[in-house]
Amino acid sequence: MSAQAPLVNIRNLVKHFGSVAAVDDVSLQVGEGEFLTFLGSSGSGKTTTLFIVAGFEDPTAGDVEIDGRSVLSVKPNERNIGMVFQRYTLFPHMTVAQNVGFPLMVRRRSKAEIDKAVKEMLDLVQLGAYAGRKPSELSGGQQQRVALARALVYKPRILLMDEPLAALDKRLREDIQQEIRRIHRELGVTILYVTHDQEEALRMSDRIAVFSHGKIAQIGSGADLYERPADAFVAGFIGNSNFLQGSVVQSQQDQVAVRLDDGTVIRGNTRHPLAANARVRLMIRPERLALAPSNDQVDQSLDVTLSDTTYLGDMLQHEVVTAWQQRITVRTNDRAAASSAGNALKLHFASTDVMVFEDGNRATA
Amino acid sequence: MFEAISNNPYRNLRAPRVGLRRLRPALPALIFLFVFMVVPLSSLLLLSVTKPETGLGNYISLLGDATYARVLLNTFIIAALVTLVTLVIAYPVAWLLAILPSRVSQIFFAIILLSMWTNLLARTYGWMVLLQRTGVINRALMGVGLIDQPLPLINNLAGVTIGMTYIMLPYVILPLHATISGIDPAIMQAAAITGAKPRQIFWHVMLPLSLPGIGAGCMMVFVMALGYYVTPALLGGTSNMMLAEMIAQQVQSLLNWGLGSAAAFILLAVTLVFYAIYVRAIGLGRVR
């Protein structure tokens, strides 16, 4: 994000439903033109935060500023924000063109101006030929593209999207993801996007805010979250991961040595200083692991037994078991490493690929 | 050949033939309808064209005579007025019931249904007590000093409209509530976020989407009101007699069976015409 003042500034937002804190002290800034995704499982507070920005929910505490001014007292229809919803929300009694023209009609623009803008928008979402149709005559993907056109036709600076593709099948979803990316580039509109799909978040966003239990667990680029997760929750939520238990032998700045339960000592990295003997969890991505015959000499390794190999086309996925019966997943495209089940192997990995986290009590989703 | 047809896996997809055998379960109802509906209606039709003399004289005098035509016109005006007033009052109630928490709306539904289940005559007498010159409403208004003279609230159009509107309200509230509850609130939110003011959302989105409920409710009330007897007879005046009252008068007081039957048939025909228009416009499936 640039040094200029943020377009959207969410400060210490709290929202209680009864005794439940749906949003629990969320703060974040969104830069002009940024594509920011709220990623989290259901009930993590991502949608509630979005609805507070839209003005459909009032926060229990905290503030939402747009352009440096609090919008909490501004009604949704006066916030000049665009929004695409998870459910199909086109007006069923209006044609596609009337739906897209609706925001301009309620702004009392001239018919000529509305017609021109509607045509432009329908061309943008590649549905120019469908202007006269009713929403019920469109597929789900087409309806969401019309909804996108309707949300953009009045040129809002901020576009909110609440899981707009959740109801669509995978192929269609990927097509529309690309289309949304293209429209974001062409129009430069600031997008706040909610999804529970980490792949979607990684594919589309400039930055991702990972929500958990009403709080932001981590906010950063996809690479930040994948390579440098803040805690075990984010590490488990983004991408595939293997977790091992151990206790700290020695910790020096970001370097840490951990003794596993069977006595093996493994070196890894940590973002926070760790006390000696602290219980920790080690995380290694499946694709950062390699397998070698058990008599090979390697830098850092674990003795394992191969239990299963799955052919995934572009990759092989091996399930291996440690001496203390913990299963570990290995993904590799090294076909030479193929071996038969039951063989003793060495699992080896670089210390920079081992991430060590304090063993909190938080679930790893 | 027949073998081949009966083995056709798609044969069940063809439109089912309504054979006599399939109608057998409906036989008791059909017999009931025939004995208590078709037979009396046929004899009424016969009466209307034979008494006092054979021909269409009864129909000609009903539609031609100024007094009778006035009653017919009056019936339509009152039915339309009651429908309109009922709709205007019922819409906000149905809306409120749709957005209230269900525990609260259950209580309101209980009140509405209880009033529906209370005897019609008892409720109409209740309105007489409230509306008459020395009734509760007039005395209260005079007591507060808002009026000097009692308002003429009974034995006129106002009395009929108030009494009938009250009785008809549930018949609009219930279908309208069903329609409004079925509208996805996200559609209203979508309209709001695009910049529409609450008034614009109502006129451009909510009202068009509640048309099926409005149609069903209004159809029900208008048709019921056309043939209403007890309430207009007790709360109305002689100057705004409705058709049902006239039929009763012709048959009971004047023993003019022919004219009464003809009037009943005109009412039935008009009702069927309105029903047909409604079915064409909105569809049979929406009549709940």
Side-chain angles (χ1 to χ4, degrees), chain A residues 312-331:
Chain A
L312 297 177
D314 56 341
M315 282 217 165
L316 290 172
Q317 177 165 314
H318 306 286
E319 297 292 332
V320 298
V321 181
T322 62
W324 62 96
Q325 297 301 313
Q326 175 164 4
R327 302 180 73 84
I328 294 176
T329 303
V330 182
R331 281 191 170 204

Side-chain angles (χ1 to χ4, degrees), chain A residues 283-294:
Chain A
M283 195 280 283
I284 314 171
R285 301 286 182 194
E287 74 279 6
R288 302 288 165 83
L289 291 165
L291 288 169
S294 64

Side-chain angles (χ1 to χ4, degrees), chain B residues 34-154:
Chain B
F34 185 79
V35 174
F36 294 102
M37 184 97 182
V38 179
V39 173
L41 274 178
S42 307
S43 64
L44 266 187
L45 184 63
L46 203 65
L47 281 174
S48 74
V49 291
T50 53
K51 299 261 171 148
E53 54 201 38
T54 310
L56 294 174
N58 285 323
Y59 291 93
I60 291 165
S61 60
L62 268 176
L63 298 172
D65 185 289
T67 321
Y68 296 141
R70 231 195 90 115
V71 171
L72 205 57
L73 182 69
N74 211 23
T75 305
F76 280 104
I77 291 174
I78 291 178
L81 187 66
V82 167
T83 306
L84 185 73
V85 176
T86 306
L87 177 65
V88 169
I89 296 175
Y91 199 102
V93 178
W95 191 353
L96 190 70
L97 288 176
I99 56 179
L100 279 177
S102 71
R103 207 182 303 162
V104 184
S105 68
Q106 295 288 325
I107 297 170
F108 282 98
F109 271 119
I111 294 170
I112 291 167
L113 288 176
L114 267 178
S115 82
M116 251 175 103
W117 292 333
T118 308
N119 182 283
L120 173 68
L121 207 57
R123 286 190 286 165
T124 307
Y125 277 124
W127 275 112
M128 287 174 75
V129 174
L130 289 172
L131 296 176
Q132 60 192 307
R133 278 181 68 84
T134 55
V136 178
I137 292 173
N138 272 323
R139 267 192 290 178
L141 288 176
M142 279 161 62
V144 180
L146 276 172
I147 51 171
D148 303 326
Q149 294 288 314
L151 295 173
L153 294 174
I154 198 165

Side-chain angles (χ1 to χ4, degrees), chain A residues 41-56:
Chain A
S41 46
S42 64
S44 61
K46 59 193 191 311
T47 298
T48 308
T49 304
L50 195 78
F51 271 53
I52 292 171
V53 175
F56 296 137

Side-chain angles (χ1 to χ4, degrees), chain A residues 51 54 56 77 81 83 85 87 89-94 102-103 105-107 150 154, chain B residues 184-187 189-201 204-205 208-209:
Chain A
F51 271 53
F56 296 137
N77 61 313
I81 289 175
M83 185 155 178
F85 294 78
R87 294 202 295 264
T89 58
L90 295 183
F91 309 127
H93 58 294
M94 296 183 196
F102 180 83
M105 189 265 285
V106 299
R107 284 171 173 75
R150 182 180 66 184
Y154 48 104
Chain B
D184 190 343
I187 291 184
Q189 289 182 327
I193 200 80
T194 63
K197 298 178 180 72
R199 187 171 39 81
Q200 292 171 314
I201 297 174
H204 293 296
V205 181
L209 291 182

